[in-house]
Amino acid sequence: QVQLVESGGGLVQAGDSLRLSCAASGRAFDRHTVAWFRQAPGKEREFAAGIRLNHTTYYADSVKGRFTISRDNAKNMVYLQMNTLKPEDTAVYYCAADAGIHMSSITQDSQYDYWGQGTQVTVSS
């Protein structure tokens, strides 16, 4: 069982930066693939970034080059550094984790067993 708590969201202007944090508790967090998903009002939840056990990272095309995902297994933390934010990045951001994600499934939210409550990111133009 893994519990996830996100923090770091807020209201910023276009071009600003934010760093989201995902604090995990529970067993064997370092054996879990972790991802950030986001859901904008009226839209489906979508994959933003993911990081595997070996720190290999994956990004949606919409955030590639602007967002960076990282993890600190010693602290049971995963971070999402978001730079050059755009109004279209406005969404609730969720941290998700699972121990059995295949590389081909990392972008699929249905594959993740553990979810945080989400943190709101709002980017004004």
Side-chain angles (χ1 to χ4, degrees):
Q1 191 82 4
V2 174
Q3 294 80 41
L4 304 172
V5 178
E6 304 95 334
S7 61
L11 171 63
V12 297
Q13 293 186 333
D16 286 351
S17 298
L18 274 178
R19 189 176 82 153
L20 304 184
S21 298
C22 175
S25 60
R27 302 179 64 180
F29 176 69
D30 59 346
R31 300 179 187 176
H32 287 66
T33 293
V34 182
W36 287 94
F37 288 81
R38 63 185 186 180
Q39 187 167 22
K43 295 187 177 181
E44 293 187 352
R45 187 163 55 190
E46 65 175 9
F47 172 82
I51 186 165
R52 293 180 62 83
L53 313 183
N54 62 0
H55 294 247
T56 301
T57 57
Y58 303 81
Y59 297 97
D61 288 342
S62 58
V63 308
K64 199 172 294 183
R66 299 187 299 120
F67 290 12
T68 302
I69 188 171
S70 61
R71 67 190 298 166
D72 185 339
N73 289 333
K75 296 182 179 180
N76 278 7
M77 295 291 295
V78 172
Y79 306 99
L80 186 67
Q81 178 66 43
M82 306 186 295
N83 298 330
T84 320
L85 283 161
K86 304 176 181 180
E88 50 263 44
D89 294 319
T90 295
V92 177
Y93 283 72
Y94 297 92
C95 178
D98 198 275
I101 297 288
H102 188 273
M103 181 176 64
S104 63
S105 304
I106 197 169
T107 64
Q108 301 173 20
D109 60 355
S110 61
Q111 299 298 311
Y112 291 80
D113 283 341
Y114 305 109
W115 291 83
Q117 82 289 348
T119 185
Q120 176 71 48
V121 172
T122 303
V123 185
S124 64
S125 57

